[in-house]
Every structure is written in C-alpha cells, then in structure tokens.
Amino acid sequence: MAGTPEHLPGPVADWRQEAGLITLRCVQGAALRVHVLSDRILRFRFSPDGYFPDDFSYAIDPDFQAQPAALSVSATDAELQIRTAAAVCRIRLDSLHTAIEDLDGKTIVEDDKGFHWMEAEQGNPLVLMSKRARPGERYFGLGDKSCAANLRGKRLQNWNHDCFGYSETTDPLYRSIPFYYGLHAGIGYGVLFDNSFRTWFDFAMERDNATSFWAHGGELDCYVICGPSLLEVAAQYAQLTGRPELPPRWAMGFHQCRWSYFPEARVREIAATFRRLRIPCDALYLDIDYMDGYRCFTWNREHFPDPGRMIRELAADGFQTVVIIDPGIKIDPAYPVFREGLERQLYLRRTDGPFAQGKVWPGECYFPDFTRPEARSWWAELFRDLIRMDGVAAVWNDMNEPAIFDVESRTLPDDVRFDYDGHPCSHARAHNVYGMQMARATQEGLQRFGYPKRPFVITRASFAGGQRYSAVWTGDNVASWAHLRLANLQCQRLSISGYSFTGSDIGGFNDLPDGELFVRWLETGIFHPLCRVHSIGYHDFGNSAIDEDAVAANAARSIRNQEPWSFGEPFTALARKIIGLRYRLLPALYTAMRQYVTRGTPVLRPLYFSFQQDPGAWDREEEFLAGDHLLVCPVSKPGTVVQELYLPAGRWYRFHTGEPLEGGRLHQEPALPGRIPMFVRAGAALPWGPVRMHTGETGLEPAVLRVYAPSSGTVRSEWYEDAGEGYAYRSGEFLLRTFEVEGDLRQCTVRQLREGRYPAEASTLKIELYGLDAARFACEADGQPLRAWRNGPCIECWAPEGFGTLRLSALP
Ligand code: MIG
C-alpha cells in the first residue's frame, strides 16, 4: 500500500482463541484482538503492526468485571464467527471487516472501510475506523456537544476546551466523552472509542454512508455495546466506565453560587435572605476571591477572618459551603503549597526539562501532574485543613482543561510530559484526562478528610469515566433563551453519556437574564441533579486581567445580582414556588440518582432515547424523562402561554391537575411561568415530599405517595430513602420500596415490596390515587377495610406505611 495515503490491514494469516480473547493476525502485520466482555459488550483493539501496548485506560472502571459469556467461535474460508448469547460478530478473513448482528440476523453495526491508518505528523499514525451509516440511522450522545440531538451530518472533535460564552456551533467544549449511540431499524447500540488523544467523529457528514472516527495517536481501541434498548446500552456503558458513589442528599438540593460572594458579611447576608424569604437552599459557593491572591488552599483573611467559624455557623443554618480550587499553583517562593510541589517535583515539565508554565488567575503558575499517583496523593493531602479545620463540605474544580490565558491554544503546549500512571506521554495524550484526574485527586482528598461524609466534587473538564469522581456543570454559558434550550439539551446528552450528575449555570453565567428567563431557567434546572444558580457577577470578561478597583466599586454597587429575589415580584414568588417544587420532587430525584449509581440508568432520559420505537418521539429534543416516570417539557421561549409537546403512546396524567391524557400525539399544555409542563406515566407511584428549607430540615409532614391508575398491565416504581449522608446505607440502613401498580380505571392494586431497614418517616403513609373513574369506591389494605375519600382529582387514604397490598375499587 506504499504510496497511497491509507493503509488497510489486508487478509488474515491466522487466528486463535484463548477463552474470551480472540486474536487475528494479518499477513501484512496488522492485528485485531476481540475481547468478549459480556454477551453484549465486545472490545476491538486494532494494531497496524501487530504490537499492542500495555493495556491501560482511564475511561474503563477498574472495578468493571467482564462477565464470562458463553461463546462459540467458528470459522469458514471467508469469515470468523464469534457467537454470544445476544450477538454474532462476523470478521471477514480477507479484510478484517467486522459486522455485528443480533440473533435474528439483523445487523446491529458493521464496518464500512473498517480499521485503517495513515502516516501523520510527529510519528504518530492516524488510526481510523469507519462504520456503515445506513439510511435513516440516527446518532446520539458524544457527551458534551451543544448541537442538535441527532448527530447525523455532523463532524465533531474532542479536545477539552475553555470556551467562555460558547454557542450551539462551538466545538469542542469542556469535556471529552468519545462515546456515541446508533439507532437503526429500532435496534440501538453504543460505541466507545477509548482514546484520550484529540479525537474526531464524522457522522455521515463527509460521506453519507459512513460514520468514521479517528485520533492522532494511540490505539484504535473501541467497545461496541449491543442493545437493542438504548436505555440498556446506557446502563451497560455506565457499568463499563463506572458510576459515582451515592452523593450526599444535600448535593441534590438547591445551590446558590456567584463569582464571587465576599466578604463574609455578604455571604451571611445571602444565607439570611434565603431563610428570611423562605426560599429553600442547601449550599453556597465561594468562587476564586475567597483565596489570598488566587493561591489555592489559602484564605483571604481580610474578607474571611475566621472561615471555620463562618462555615460552621452556616452549616448550623443548613448551608453547606463549597469552595473552588483551580489547578494552577502560583509561582511564589513564599507560598508553602508552591514550595512543597516544587520540592517533591510534582509539577509538569516540558520535554527539555523546565517546568511547564502558564498564566492563569494567580499570574504565572506551575501545574501538578494529576496523572501521577504521588501528585494526586499530595493534592488530596492539601485538603486537610479546608475540610477538617474549616469544615468545607465540597469542592468545585475549574480551569482544568487545563485553561491557560494569553496563548492561542488556550492550554499547555503539546510537548509537556505526563506520567499517565506509569505510561509516560505528551500533552497530546494526557490533555483530555487532566481535568478528570484532578477531580479524582480532589475526591480522594474529600474521602480522606471528610469521611464518613460522602464526597461531592464538581468539575468543568473531564473525560469518559470521569463521572466516577465528580459531577459536572456545562461551563460558561450565556443568559439567553437559546442557552436555556442548550442547557436542557446538554444535560440530557451528558446524562446518557455516563454523566447523570450534571447541571447548567441557572440563569446563565455571562450577561444578565430578566426575571422571566431566570424563572424559566429554574423550571428546567430543578430537574437536573446539579441544581445551581451561578453568574459572572461584576467581572467583565474579555480582559483577562481583573481590575481590582473596578471589582470593588462594582461589588459595592451590588450590580448584576442573580439570586432568586433579584428580579422583584412576581419573580421572587415564582422562584420560591419552583425551588420548592425541587424539594417536593427530591425523594423521586434521589431515587433516580440511586438507580443511576447502582444500575447505571441515566437520571435524565431524552424522549428520542426512551421511546426508540416511537417515530413521533425521534425528533423531540426538549422533552425528557426525569427518572422512570416523570415527563417534562421545559419552556424555552419568551412569552410562552401554551407549550406544544409530544406525549408518547399510552396514558399519561397532567401533573398539575391529575387529569388523564392519551399519548401518541402532540399536546398543547398551559404553561404560564410557574406551571411547568409535567406529566406522569400511568401506573407510576411517585413520592411527593414536603418543601424543606434545606434537605436537613426535619419535623415536617412526611412525603405522600401519588399513585396514577394504569390503563392496563403492571407498572413498577421505586422509592429509595436513607440518612442522606454517611455510609450506613451500605450496611442495610436504607429503605427501598418497590411498588407494583396494576389495574384499570375501575380498580387499582398497589403491591409494596421492601428492602433495607432504614425506618420510614412515619407509621402511616398518605396515598393519593389519581385516575380512578368512580363516584363511590371501596378501599382495603392487606384485607382490612380502609377509609378513603375524594379530594378533587384524587382519592385519598392513609395506609399503614408497611402495607403489602392496597386495593381501591369503584363501587357500582
Ligand atoms: O476564567 O472562577 O467556568 O464558573 O465563576 C474564569 C471564576 C474562571 C470559570 C468558571 C466560572 C467561574 C470563573 N471561572
């Protein structure tokens, strides 16, 4: 093939099988290793020259266990066949082309040109894969992209990028998650390209019949996850790349942030205002100005003379304090953290030896090599005082693409060297994992010093698998209606890309929202696991050097406030109501989070993803499910009175009125501010909690259970509770109730199964049953008659909370 730009593997010389690993060697030297990781997950490692480097990946969860699959391997003259209990992989012996089929012989995904490679600059070959793109095939996912949900016709790249004020055409963004879904003829699958170099994906843009991906270096190492259910692919992907541990419940409360709250008096004023106005809030954030000259792990003592006291007093009032920590360490011999990193030689270096240097907020900085275990361990240690002494509850990692000011690339030079956990390499390979490894080191610090509290980290940059260590937010967005819509799309996309714990800067980071935009953004944000208002404050970006005098003057004038009460009435009252709704939904959202951390099912599930057999749902981008049964279509246009939305086939209930609706068509839903278009699936059982001022507030009326009569069949719902903090849940201190709701519009049976021994809040549980079409009815729990009465759209009763079977039936 010399002389042509691309090299193909050519014919196979021989193959062999050792348990779940099948290796094929080509006559001209290329090779393929197929690892059968489970019935549905196949890994393909291709090598141009037959050499396979040490098998190391930051994306794959070290705890992932391949499941021994019953497989049979056979060969004909033309192909090798690997058969599992769910799929058949055929590999052509003349070309190394692969095709995966289901057991009915339907193609799941197959090669177009397949694996190939090219010479490229810097000695790194360009490794490429191209798959067939079939007519009508749709593509989703790819982590953090701001474009339309269906990726077909797009060419996108992954290279973590500080992209202040990005738009729907900006690419790349802050995070790299080289994982996509394909859906064709009702069959869904997923492809993870496990390569941390800059990667590109072309979804049938250049060639209408091919989807290709490639990287300037590293291996063509890809995992194919067979569906057919997209939800199942998402769960498998999350098992492959990992899930976080269960976050503390307060981390799912409402959070208020700004660049920056200081001095202490201002922080206290914000806290007091939340309580005085009775707007729930669980966390306040300190942005970079809490530090002394932006030196990480220091305090500006003028603004915060006694941080420990302030943080403890805030905590007593139900506010957790989260502080920002950036990766850049100021070059300052008088700064102990800087000196320590230097003495221990933990900073990144250029190829020819000097430390890699870059300008960020503190001025010229060095950067720890977070891909080195010693550096991570040192970093974790640096949190000792912040957590143990000052009582900081969680950490927010920023600027970890890493972002560098005043250079065209906005990041470190390509020749910077990294340890990559014992696989020395350049920035070209380590760039995309830098933020993820920083978050990992930060989480280690929280675990070390915060235990037995659960760690909570949020990060801006990350990579596939980074969800094991932290939540993410979508970065520096803009206070515009277009961005509100983007926030919805981005969080959905991140959610199906392994990152359920996501949120956007509510209200917009850059520029100022008006009251209407702000409350509409809250209406979207309360469904995102990370629910945080954040804004740029008085910083005029565009000029990277901050004018301290202007900052002080602006702070004194308190301009650009973005708290829930900053827009006057009726917006304050609306914000109170919407944030209150977040707390009412918290039992359901916390349950969805628990499902995600145990099974990998995303908290936010796009409609196009959840209803893959319903063509009416395919082009719906704004509707999503939050958890199993709640469908939401947030408003994203100013002046909206009625929202048009699609309800998938089946029966749904209008959340606000309890009125049943038939799906399978578009609906016009009243949607004035404060009334979020929300629907519940028939048969669902949804916990509905009290409005708490913060998640730790007790002594309120317990949650009720809203049950929505099914039109037929049985529907399962879950409700998970635990202490919300600590690890007792791991030794049985939790309560997981599973409800099976069965019936029709004349009678309804709710069966309850219980696991765990965390005590329920009260001995009786209030049930509200919607949709039973009866003027007279009878109710019984475990065979005992129970009093029930009608209250507007629902029938109510109080049942013993541990009931096994509850039955409500219409009387003639
Ligand atoms: O260069 O810490 O995305 O949330 O408020 C800007 C200041 C640095 C960018 C983050 C933003 C944060 C801001 N940071």
Side-chain angles (χ1 to χ4, degrees), residues 464-485:
Q467 70 271 8
R468 302 196 294 274
Y469 314 116
S470 66
V472 292
W473 90 104
T474 58
D476 296 341
N477 59 6
V478 182
S480 69
W481 289 92
H483 261 271
L484 167 54
R485 184 170 170 280

Side-chain angles (χ1 to χ4, degrees), residues 162 174 259 287-288 324 326 361 396 398-399 405 460 473 475-476 505 509 532 534-535 541:
D162 179 5
Y174 301 93
W259 183 12
D287 205 327
I288 48 178
I324 196 168
D326 289 355
W361 292 109
W396 165 28
D398 186 23
M399 303 291 281
F405 293 160
R460 194 169 72 178
W473 90 104
D476 296 341
D505 284 352
F509 178 70
R532 183 183 78 152
H534 183 40
S535 62
F541 213 92

Side-chain angles (χ1 to χ4, degrees), residues 15-25 33-36 71 73:
W15 64 273
R16 63 172 197 279
Q17 179 196 359
E18 298 145 84
L21 169 65
I22 297 98
T23 306
L24 299 96
R25 301 209 161 262
R33 284 187 184 169
V34 184
H35 298 254
V36 180
L71 82 166
V73 180

Side-chain angles (χ1 to χ4, degrees), residues 254-256 274-275 279-284 318-319 583 693-694:
F254 175 75
H255 298 185
Q256 180 69 36
F274 271 104
R275 296 296 179 248
I279 298 175
C281 182
D282 263 278
L284 298 177
F319 292 97
Y583 283 76
M693 286 302 114
H694 57 91

Side-chain angles (χ1 to χ4, degrees), residues 158-238:
N158 290 313
W159 183 252
N160 292 356
H161 184 52
D162 179 5
C163 46
F164 174 79
Y166 60 89
S167 74
E168 57 276 18
T169 56
T170 307
D171 182 61
L173 302 180
Y174 301 93
R175 285 155 289 278
S176 296
I177 305 170
F179 168 67
Y180 71 88
Y181 295 86
L183 175 63
H184 179 255
I187 300 174
Y189 63 91
V191 176
L192 166 67
F193 179 21
D194 188 3
N195 183 310
S196 64
F197 283 78
R198 191 191 285 261
T199 50
W200 277 264
F201 287 78
D202 182 306
F203 296 97
M205 180 189 157
E206 287 296 329
R207 289 194 293 142
D208 192 39
N209 57 0
T211 281
S212 306
F213 47 89
W214 62 95
H216 270 277
E219 257 188 84
L220 200 304
D221 179 5
C222 68
Y223 293 74
V224 177
I225 305 174
C226 304
S229 144
L230 292 169
L231 183 64
E232 190 48 38
V233 174
Q236 300 273 329
Y237 171 78

